[in-house]
Amino acid sequence: MTSTEPRTAHHRAGIVPAAPRTGRLRPLGLDEVRITGGFWAERQSVNHRHTLAHIGRWLERAGWSRNFDLAAAGSLPADRRGREFSDSEIYKYLEALAWEIGRTGDGELEATFRDLVGRVERAQEPDGYLNTNFGRPGQAPRWSDLEWGHELYCLGHLCQAAVARARTRPDADDGLLAVARRAADLVCEVFGPKGVQSVCGHAEIEVGLAELARVTGEQRYLRQAQLFVARRGTGTLRPIEWGPQYFQDDAPVRQATVLRGHAVRANYLAAGAVDVAVDTGDEDLLSALVTQWDNTVARRTYITGGQGSHHQDEAFGEDWVLPPDRAYSETCAGIASIMFSWRLLLARGDTRYGDLIERTLYNVVATSPSASGTAFYYANTLHQRTPGSVPDPDTASLRAESSLRAPWFGVSCCPPNVARTFASLDALVATADTQGVQIHQFADCRIQTRLDNGELVALDVQTDYPRRGSVRLTPTRDAADPWTLSVRVPHWADGARLVVTRAAGEVSTTHAAPGWASVRHAFRTGDVVELVLPMRPRLTHPDPRIDAVRGCVAVERGPEVYCLESVDLDAVSHGAVTDVADVRIDDTAPVEDHDGRPLACLVVTAAGPPDDLAWPYAERSLEPAPSTSFDVPLIPYHDWAERGPSTMRVWLPVAGRSHVDHGTTGEQRSEQKGNAIR
Amino acid sequence: MTSTEPRTAHHRAGIVPAAPRTGRLRPLGLDEVRITGGFWAERQSVNHRHTLAHIGRWLERAGWSRNFDLAAAGSLPADRRGREFSDSEIYKYLEALAWEIGRTGDGELEATFRDLVGRVERAQEPDGYLNTNFGRPGQAPRWSDLEWGHELYCLGHLCQAAVARARTRPDADDGLLAVARRAADLVCEVFGPKGVQSVCGHAEIEVGLAELARVTGEQRYLRQAQLFVARRGTGTLRPIEWGPQYFQDDAPVRQATVLRGHAVRANYLAAGAVDVAVDTGDEDLLSALVTQWDNTVARRTYITGGQGSHHQDEAFGEDWVLPPDRAYSETCAGIASIMFSWRLLLARGDTRYGDLIERTLYNVVATSPSASGTAFYYANTLHQRTPGSVPDPDTASLRAESSLRAPWFGVSCCPPNVARTFASLDALVATADTQGVQIHQFADCRIQTRLDNGELVALDVQTDYPRRGSVRLTPTRDAADPWTLSVRVPHWADGARLVVTRAAGEVSTTHAAPGWASVRHAFRTGDVVELVLPMRPRLTHPDPRIDAVRGCVAVERGPEVYCLESVDLDAVSHGAVTDVADVRIDDTAPVEDHDGRPLACLVVTAAGPPDDLAWPYAERSLEPAPSTSFDVPLIPYHDWAERGPSTMRVWLPVAGRSHVDHGTTGEQRSEQKGNAIR
């Protein structure tokens, strides 16, 4: 990344989920970056081995796949199953399969994919209409409920699935792209310049049409996406209980200053609007979206990267409304936020977009699925007050807010959304520009791409991140000309170093400030560029305007947010303390790193105030006296709730100054520490 | 209240909303207590002059009254308007009218009442069925949707209206009681021991049937109420998204330990269950309800007395989940809580029930209506972050969470609920037992009742409460025998005194601890019993388990919770500080009482942390430095939002110890004070 490079460049499309025509950075696709090991490879493996089949089974079991068969057989609507948007889960599943087939060449998945595409294709009407919930005798008419019907939303996901397939298997004859084109042609006809002057209550068609235009070269799709973006916010949707901001119909996209309303809708819309902006050269629109991202990240985003704090309408709260208990932080909103951030990263090249993507990947997306890949969080609370109960693995959860991960939901958008994200994750790792290659996410991987000047560059990345902070980048080809290797230094990484070792043996170490760290060189095999990130645990304070976590701190280490889970408290205290409500953190004691796990000094208080009040408000302070202290290991937030019902906190109340002397002495502390972590 | 009195006594029913057959205390009705002036008389007057007519107009305008005409004419369901429970608003309105006619004898209201009763009566089916939303061709069958249909709920309100009328106008020939009896007979038939073994998704029929039994002497109604209470919690309702606890179907009433789920449903059910318990002598059931009240008050109640913290399902949160911003604290839940508390007060005689009633009346019920009586809060937030906008007085609000009071709602339960509460408020002021009279609420009033021993006792109450703390009780008849005058000393009133002045001139002053203060005497005209309550402002700390208000205090004075409204901040600072987000309270400075208004020393901070962060979490503390301090008048919470859009806080963050020295000096402070309050 040098300042002499052109502001935007024109790209050829790769095997990527988003292929903007212009932008500072060119995404590298599955043929150019391949994750080979480590944290994300493990998630991808579980996704491949367990999650995809789990989703397929539940789609059948819930009857959502069968809706397409019924539609083809003409026996809808009496037997239709699922909510009005259930078609979209089939399309997200198809998209996940397409990426996974592209990544692995799995023949069994290919057969599954082709079978399901056939069922979808047979349900399509002759004029291209495709939705199992509308338009047949006994169903509501097509497009009669734009507010809640989700027809265009579903078709947006259909387009994304078709695009994934077209990019990963451009020569496949499965027909999905043709299905999507027929549907998109109908959409352009019905909602075109002279058609219905409105939008879908749930944005998504915008990003789908923009990508379909990129894959097919059909400009009409891009213009239709542009129309949908331009119409949004002009009040074309009917009033609903939660107001027009729920579906971003309160203000035009180019005038809005922050994301608001339903968090998934808001981010999908923003992502689609970036697509429109960069492909039409609309700098004003792009600037508005950058401003929206800035304000949303500064004032409406959880420490995990999660977005959306309302349960009621799955929506953003006002600025600073970020309660940890009942944090909604919907998994799909995290994924949608990554889609938005990634598009701005490609357009603008700033590392802060990669920062938020990393934070959201580790602390929202990785949190949703269980280690087994067969249960999910729909919402991701930051404070679990009661242990809850284990959901039945054979029952779909009616509620988004189960205390432990559930196998499936009445609204089950998150499992296939997680699956498509993991299956295409390689494409978020690195980009190229005219000068060289940029590393955004740290994972063991192999990268190879041809720069615009024709130079073929290749490198391997080796790291044990996020367990350890070393990221080694080793070019695997001798370059004829210099090129620039850039690596994102995360915003939290004060004190990072870049150690460059030449094949000849020369070593140079430089301070790497947050932002881009770059080395320009005619790299040769044997050169090593090592980014060394400081992985000490950090105590993190919230902005005081976030009232809900006043007087608390969180512990972070590298990109991971940590939490206190009652299981660990119970173990360390030998059963004496079983609830996270009963402790405070001593923020005067350093949080130590024991083999990659932060160990916090927690002050244990009595279970409640001195006497358990009949009325919980009093003229005197009710802060209970501390009784003792323990060193307690914290765990990465994404790993919580894997050991049965528990209570959990991300934000830990700070012990009052008068309390921290009452605990064990430093000497006792280090003795206990030995016990605590074995 | 002496310890020798019998545990329960049998009562004759008065002109009261709830007339238990047994209990420690006998309620005094509208013929025995009459509020004559002061805080509540003013609300009753506004209710009489403005609110009742406002409700009547909106019921017509919304088409909810007309539904009954359509039903009578056979032209439902095509033209039916309103939600499935809209009939209940007509019944609550009728109940309010009945009480107000009973209180005032207003002939115009009487005509309105009779007209509306006629319209209701004509809509009743020959077999007694009465609901405009079910049972006709084109409508769902009767009782086909017990979860959401609200048929029994509506009939519960019908019974309460009929009971109010029967007690206030026992000889009226309007027919409402007959309508209610026919409907109740049908309910007993359909849902009796051999009938449908289920309950209504919204409790209310229980309290309605129990009262109808009391008025009519028909024991079948009581037995049916008993059946409904016994069936609740046995899982007879179908699963819904929010789980069975939403409608208290998760645990039998006699096994539950705390109120949970939808807060209005929970409290109506509890009130009806108390009615059943006391009229059937079911001490176990009563004990369970006492426990539920105890735990709900200790762990799930806002400082205002408000209950229910979830917007999504209008429900109680888990223990300690009491966020001030987006506090739901539904007006109707406050009213329902008063109904529950009042019944326990009559049964058990403890002052803590009166304490909660008082708190809820001043800080929830009085908060809902505007000073004009024509706009309402449905939900009562304790923290308003953005000024919002003024609702159109001609438009029903779709949303419960408007930032300013709205004239009407799509779900408009609160206006008629407030109206019926104010119209029958006299009945919450005082009770009698075998020994004498108990004063529960402090208002200018006249009381006269005949004790069980035949003694006619009478007294006047004069007070400027809650502005001032003196409550003067003056017997207005010379008694032949001694009787006991008891007065509730609120739980917050440490330092209260009871000053007894005999007609002969003798004066005695005693300390009156929270609880009952009693004087037994053969009172004579000229005797004065004066309760002197300490009205200094109090700084109130929350239980630390209420995480959402950690590091904050509230200001209370007497029974009123105070708040900081930005209008006052703006005025005192001459426009320099306009948002309640920018101040902290100096809790080391006394909150002074200036002419009945607390004046708090607020430390003003910069608008945000030192630099406005791109990411609102950091390794250093982000608490902004203070710039200055002001003395700012606080206002009673119930008066907020009467001066246009504003921001508001009940819970004020405490300034850090290092900050409180930076402000103005004490001398400057008292100078500013002069400016501040003029």
Side-chain angles (χ1 to χ4, degrees):
Chain A
M1 296 293 291
T2 66
S3 60
T4 56
E5 69 193 320
R7 182 154 180 78
T8 61
H10 288 262
H11 304 315
R12 59 186 187 275
I15 305 180
V16 294
R21 291 181 193 160
T22 65
R24 297 275 302 255
L25 307 178
R26 173 172 62 83
L28 301 187
L30 301 195
D31 53 337
E32 296 169 301
V33 186
R34 182 55 55 94
I35 294 173
T36 54
F39 187 97
W40 293 114
E42 173 59 25
R43 265 87 189 154
Q44 290 187 309
S45 168
V46 170
N47 190 45
H48 184 147
R49 289 179 294 123
H50 303 297
T51 305
L52 289 170
H54 174 84
I55 294 169
R57 277 194 302 273
W58 272 98
L59 288 173
E60 292 298 341
R61 179 175 185 160
W64 302 351
S65 310
R66 186 164 164 268
N67 288 339
F68 289 88
D69 309 334
L70 297 174
S75 58
L76 280 177
D79 298 331
R80 190 182 181 282
R81 300 276 297 283
R83 294 284 299 270
E84 58 274 31
F85 37 72
S86 68
D87 291 2
S88 72
E89 312 310 348
I90 278 75
Y91 303 145
K92 270 185 288 185
Y93 177 52
L94 284 176
E95 185 187 343
L97 289 173
W99 293 120
E100 196 61 17
I101 292 163
R103 222 175 54 84
T104 65
D106 187 313
E108 204 172 314
L109 295 184
E110 174 75 19
T112 301
F113 179 89
R114 285 178 174 268
D115 174 66
L116 194 51
V117 166
R119 295 163 74 185
V120 168
E121 189 172 17
R122 287 188 288 278
Q124 190 169 35
E125 308 280 327
D127 67 351
Y129 184 79
L130 182 53
N131 189 289
T132 66
N133 198 49
F134 287 91
R136 292 166 196 81
Q139 294 184 322
R142 293 179 183 183
W143 324 117
S144 61
D145 183 8
L146 292 177
E147 291 74 24
W148 296 110
H150 287 77
E151 287 158 286
L152 291 166
Y153 165 81
C154 289
L155 295 180
H157 279 301
L158 171 69
C159 292
Q160 286 195 301
V163 166
R165 181 64 169 177
R167 292 201 177 123
T168 51
R169 288 287 182 272
D171 303 324
D173 57 352
D174 55 76
L176 185 59
L177 186 62
V179 170
R181 289 195 68 147
R182 286 195 295 270
D185 288 341
L186 180 68
V187 168
C188 292
E189 194 178 304
V190 174
F191 291 90
K194 296 182 176 170
V196 177
Q197 299 295 305
S198 191
V199 297
C200 183
H202 197 316
E204 163 64 24
I205 186 71
E206 299 82 359
V207 75
L209 286 174
E211 284 298 329
L212 195 65
R214 290 163 176 174
V215 154
T216 61
E218 176 54 79
Q219 295 314 295
R220 190 182 178 200
Y221 302 150
L222 176 62
R223 287 195 302 271
Q224 187 62 45
Q226 190 178 21
L227 268 181
F228 281 137
V229 170
R231 280 179 198 151
R232 179 82 50 178
T234 62
T236 66
L237 296 170
R238 286 172 291 204
I240 60 164
E241 183 180 354
W242 297 319
Q245 75 167 18
Y246 174 77
F247 30 45
Q248 295 77 47
D249 202 29
D250 56 327
V253 178
R254 67 177 69 241
Q255 286 171 22
T257 58
V258 68
L259 297 191
R260 68 252 173 257
H262 189 268
V264 180
R265 284 168 165 80
N267 274 290
Y268 280 170
L269 174 64
V274 176
D275 285 338
V276 166
V278 298
D279 281 13
T280 62
D282 189 339
E283 267 298 320
D284 285 350
L285 179 59
L286 188 61
S287 290
L289 292 157
V290 166
T291 298
Q292 289 167 37
W293 189 94
D294 288 348
N295 286 327
T296 303
V297 170
R299 295 157 179 260
R300 298 188 173 189
T301 301
Y302 283 102
I303 189 173
T304 53
Q307 296 185 345
S309 59
H310 291 187
H311 276 243
Q312 178 177 264
D313 47 356
E314 303 187 312
F316 284 98
E318 293 181 325
D319 287 349
W320 318 116
V321 178
L322 295 164
D325 46 355
R326 289 177 63 76
Y328 202 68
S329 180
E330 184 179 342
T331 300
C332 289
I335 290 170
S337 152
I338 290 171
M339 288 169 57
F340 180 30
S341 294
W342 178 247
R343 283 161 172 78
L344 288 182
L345 175 53
L346 295 179
R348 294 291 181 108
D350 290 344
T351 54
R352 57 197 181 132
Y353 302 117
D355 286 344
L356 186 68
I357 289 171
E358 174 174 65
R359 185 174 286 278
T360 310
L361 281 173
Y362 278 103
N363 302 297
V364 179
V365 182
T367 305
S368 173
S370 64
S372 66
T374 56
F376 303 85
Y377 276 125
Y378 184 115
N380 296 279
T381 187
L382 302 192
H383 184 180
Q384 182 71 33
R385 290 173 179 272
T386 54
S389 55
V390 183
D392 179 355
D394 284 327
T395 306
S397 177
L398 284 174
R399 311 181 70 189
E401 51 194 279
S402 57
S403 56
L404 291 155
R405 295 173 182 91
W408 198 250
F409 303 90
V411 176
S412 210
C413 40
C414 54
N417 224 350
V418 167
R420 70 173 180 151
T421 304
F422 283 159
S424 59
L425 195 65
D426 313 67
L428 298 183
V429 169
T431 57
D433 65 4
T434 55
Q435 306 295 307
V437 168
Q438 302 80 37
I439 309 296
H440 302 284
Q441 303 303 330
F442 311 127
D444 282 350
C445 63
R446 279 196 300 277
I447 300 173
Q448 177 170 300
T449 191
R450 195 173 292 281
L451 300 184
D452 289 353
N453 64 5
E455 177 85 31
L456 185 66
V457 300
L459 69 154
D460 281 358
V461 180
Q462 292 111 31
T463 182
D464 196 17
Y465 190 83
R467 190 172 172 82
R468 302 190 194 285
S470 162
V471 183
R472 288 167 58 89
L473 314 166
T474 55
T476 53
R477 285 181 66 94
D478 295 343
D481 294 311
W483 59 277
T484 304
L485 177 56
S486 300
V487 58
R488 178 179 63 89
V489 181
H491 73 105
W492 48 262
D494 267 335
R497 288 171 294 127
L498 202 64
V499 183
V500 180
T501 308
R502 302 295 178 201
E506 179 196 345
V507 179
S508 70
T509 300
T510 52
H511 172 67
W516 287 114
S518 300
V519 181
R520 185 166 181 82
H521 185 59
F523 288 105
R524 304 190 64 79
T525 306
D527 288 347
V528 179
V529 176
E530 184 185 15
L531 176 67
V532 183
L533 296 166
M535 300 303 279
R536 63 179 171 74
R538 313 185 299 278
L539 274 189
T540 301
H541 298 259
D543 188 304
R545 291 170 291 191
I546 306 173
D547 291 274
V549 290
R550 189 181 309 286
C552 295
V553 294
V555 174
E556 299 183 274
R557 180 181 175 280
E560 295 173 310
V561 174
Y562 276 71
C563 68
L564 171 66
E565 195 174 3
S566 56
V567 186
D568 296 303
L569 200 53
D570 193 315
V572 168
S573 72
H574 304 292
V577 190
T578 58
D579 188 340
V580 298
D582 299 335
V583 299
R584 305 284 180 272
I585 188 168
D586 176 2
D587 69 339
T588 63
V591 177
E592 296 178 25
D593 193 340
H594 264 256
D595 199 27
R597 294 185 72 183
L599 202 63
C601 180
L602 298 183
V603 176
V604 178
T605 66
D611 47 349
D612 211 320
L613 292 173
W615 178 243
Y617 309 97
E619 274 196 78
R620 66 185 187 288
S621 168
L622 298 171
E623 184 67 19
S627 54
T628 182
S629 68
F630 294 97
D631 282 352
V632 182
L634 306 179
I635 64 163
Y637 171 67
H638 56 70
D639 284 347
W640 93 276
E642 289 283 2
R643 297 170 291 177
S646 63
T647 59
M648 180 277 295
R649 293 192 76 123
V650 165
W651 289 104
L652 301 169
V654 172
R657 285 291 166 275
S658 60
H659 290 164
V660 298
D661 306 329
H662 296 270
T664 41
T665 64
E667 207 165 286
Q668 286 174 300
R669 221 194 135 198
S670 43
E671 276 168 27
Q672 286 185 344
K673 198 170 305 165
N675 297 330
I677 56 166
R678 256 166 228 146
Chain B
M1 295 290 294
T2 66
S3 59
T4 57
E5 69 193 318
R7 181 153 182 79
T8 60
H10 289 261
H11 303 315
R12 60 184 188 276
I15 304 180
V16 295
R21 290 180 193 160
T22 67
R24 297 274 303 255
L25 307 179
R26 173 172 61 85
L28 300 188
L30 301 196
D31 54 337
E32 296 169 301
V33 186
R34 182 57 53 95
I35 295 173
T36 53
F39 187 98
W40 293 115
E42 174 60 25
R43 264 90 190 150
Q44 290 186 311
S45 168
V46 170
N47 191 44
H48 184 144
R49 290 180 292 124
H50 303 296
T51 304
L52 289 171
H54 174 85
I55 294 169
R57 276 195 301 273
W58 272 98
L59 288 173
E60 293 298 342
R61 177 175 187 161
W64 302 352
S65 312
R66 186 164 164 268
N67 289 339
F68 289 88
D69 308 335
L70 297 174
S75 59
L76 278 177
D79 298 330
R80 190 181 181 283
R81 301 275 298 280
R83 293 285 299 270
E84 59 274 30
F85 36 73
S86 68
D87 291 3
S88 71
E89 313 310 348
I90 278 74
Y91 303 145
K92 270 185 289 186
Y93 176 53
L94 284 175
E95 185 187 342
L97 289 172
W99 291 120
E100 196 62 17
I101 293 162
R103 223 174 56 83
T104 65
D106 186 314
E108 202 171 317
L109 293 184
E110 174 75 20
T112 302
F113 179 89
R114 284 178 176 269
D115 173 67
L116 194 50
V117 166
R119 295 164 75 186
V120 168
E121 189 171 19
R122 286 189 289 278
Q124 190 168 36
E125 308 281 326
D127 67 351
Y129 184 80
L130 183 53
N131 188 290
T132 65
N133 198 48
F134 287 91
R136 292 167 195 82
Q139 294 184 322
R142 293 178 183 183
W143 325 116
S144 60
D145 183 9
L146 292 176
E147 291 74 24
W148 296 111
H150 287 77
E151 286 158 286
L152 291 167
Y153 164 83
C154 289
L155 295 180
H157 279 301
L158 171 69
C159 291
Q160 286 195 300
V163 166
R165 181 64 168 177
R167 292 202 176 122
T168 51
R169 288 286 182 273
D171 302 324
D173 58 352
D174 54 77
L176 185 59
L177 186 62
V179 170
R181 289 194 69 147
R182 285 194 296 270
D185 289 341
L186 180 69
V187 168
C188 293
E189 193 178 305
V190 174
F191 290 91
K194 296 180 177 170
V196 177
Q197 298 295 303
S198 192
V199 296
C200 183
H202 198 316
E204 162 66 23
I205 185 71
E206 299 80 0
V207 76
L209 285 174
E211 284 298 329
L212 195 65
R214 290 163 176 174
V215 155
T216 61
E218 176 55 78
Q219 295 315 295
R220 190 182 178 201
Y221 302 150
L222 175 62
R223 288 196 302 273
Q224 186 62 45
Q226 190 178 21
L227 268 182
F228 281 136
V229 170
R231 280 181 199 150
R232 179 81 51 178
T234 62
T236 66
L237 295 170
R238 284 172 293 204
I240 60 163
E241 183 181 354
W242 298 318
Q245 76 168 17
Y246 174 77
F247 30 45
Q248 297 76 47
D249 201 29
D250 56 327
V253 178
R254 68 176 67 240
Q255 287 170 23
T257 58
V258 69
L259 297 191
R260 68 254 172 255
H262 189 268
V264 180
R265 284 167 166 82
N267 275 291
Y268 280 170
L269 174 64
V274 176
D275 285 338
V276 166
V278 299
D279 280 13
T280 62
D282 189 339
E283 267 298 320
D284 286 349
L285 180 59
L286 187 60
S287 291
L289 292 157
V290 167
T291 299
Q292 289 167 37
W293 189 94
D294 288 348
N295 286 327
T296 303
V297 170
R299 295 157 180 259
R300 298 188 174 188
T301 301
Y302 284 102
I303 189 171
T304 52
Q307 295 186 348
S309 59
H310 291 188
H311 275 244
Q312 178 177 263
D313 46 356
E314 303 187 313
F316 284 99
E318 294 181 325
D319 287 350
W320 317 117
V321 179
L322 294 164
D325 46 355
R326 289 176 64 75
Y328 202 67
S329 180
E330 184 179 341
T331 300
C332 290
I335 290 169
S337 153
I338 290 171
M339 288 170 58
F340 180 29
S341 294
W342 177 247
R343 282 159 173 77
L344 288 182
L345 174 54
L346 296 179
R348 295 291 182 106
D350 291 344
T351 54
R352 56 197 180 133
Y353 302 117
D355 286 344
L356 186 67
I357 289 170
E358 174 174 65
R359 185 174 286 278
T360 309
L361 280 173
Y362 278 102
N363 302 297
V364 180
V365 181
T367 305
S368 173
S370 63
S372 65
T374 55
F376 303 84
Y377 276 125
Y378 184 115
N380 296 279
T381 188
L382 303 192
H383 183 180
Q384 182 72 33
R385 289 173 179 272
T386 53
S389 54
V390 183
D392 179 355
D394 283 328
T395 305
S397 176
L398 283 174
R399 310 182 71 188
E401 50 195 279
S402 56
S403 55
L404 291 155
R405 295 173 181 89
W408 198 251
F409 303 91
V411 176
S412 210
C413 39
C414 53
N417 224 350
V418 168
R420 69 172 181 152
T421 304
F422 283 159
S424 59
L425 195 65
D426 312 66
L428 297 183
V429 168
T431 56
D433 65 4
T434 56
Q435 306 295 308
V437 168
Q438 302 80 38
I439 308 296
H440 303 285
Q441 303 302 332
F442 311 126
D444 282 351
C445 62
R446 279 195 300 276
I447 300 173
Q448 175 169 302
T449 189
R450 194 171 295 280
L451 300 183
D452 290 353
N453 64 4
E455 177 85 32
L456 187 66
V457 301
L459 67 155
D460 282 357
V461 181
Q462 293 112 26
T463 181
D464 195 17
Y465 189 82
R467 189 172 172 83
R468 304 192 193 284
S470 162
V471 182
R472 288 168 58 90
L473 314 165
T474 55
T476 52
R477 283 181 67 91
D478 295 342
D481 294 312
W483 58 277
T484 305
L485 177 56
S486 300
V487 59
R488 177 179 63 90
V489 180
H491 72 105
W492 48 263
D494 267 336
R497 289 171 294 126
L498 201 64
V499 183
V500 180
T501 307
R502 302 295 178 202
E506 178 195 346
V507 179
S508 70
T509 299
T510 52
H511 171 68
W516 287 116
S518 299
V519 181
R520 187 166 180 80
H521 185 60
F523 288 104
R524 303 190 65 80
T525 305
D527 288 347
V528 179
V529 176
E530 183 186 16
L531 176 66
V532 183
L533 296 166
M535 301 303 279
R536 63 179 171 75
R538 313 185 300 279
L539 273 189
T540 301
H541 298 257
D543 189 304
R545 291 169 293 191
I546 306 173
D547 291 275
V549 290
R550 188 181 309 286
C552 295
V553 295
V555 174
E556 299 183 274
R557 180 181 175 281
E560 294 173 310
V561 174
Y562 276 71
C563 68
L564 171 66
E565 194 174 4
S566 56
V567 186
D568 296 303
L569 201 52
D570 193 314
V572 169
S573 71
H574 304 292
V577 190
T578 58
D579 188 340
V580 297
D582 299 336
V583 298
R584 305 284 180 273
I585 188 168
D586 176 1
D587 69 340
T588 63
V591 177
E592 296 177 27
D593 193 340
H594 264 256
D595 199 27
R597 294 185 72 184
L599 202 63
C601 179
L602 298 183
V603 176
V604 178
T605 65
D611 47 350
D612 211 321
L613 290 173
W615 178 243
Y617 309 97
E619 275 195 77
R620 66 186 188 285
S621 168
L622 298 171
E623 184 67 21
S627 53
T628 183
S629 68
F630 294 97
D631 282 351
V632 182
L634 305 179
I635 64 163
Y637 171 67
H638 58 70
D639 283 346
W640 93 276
E642 289 282 4
R643 297 171 290 178
S646 63
T647 59
M648 180 277 294
R649 293 192 77 124
V650 165
W651 289 102
L652 301 169
V654 172
R657 285 294 166 273
S658 59
H659 291 164
V660 298
D661 307 328
H662 296 268
T664 40
T665 64
E667 206 164 285
Q668 287 175 299
R669 225 195 131 194
S670 44
E671 277 170 26
Q672 287 186 343
K673 197 170 304 166
N675 297 329
I677 57 167
R678 253 164 232 147

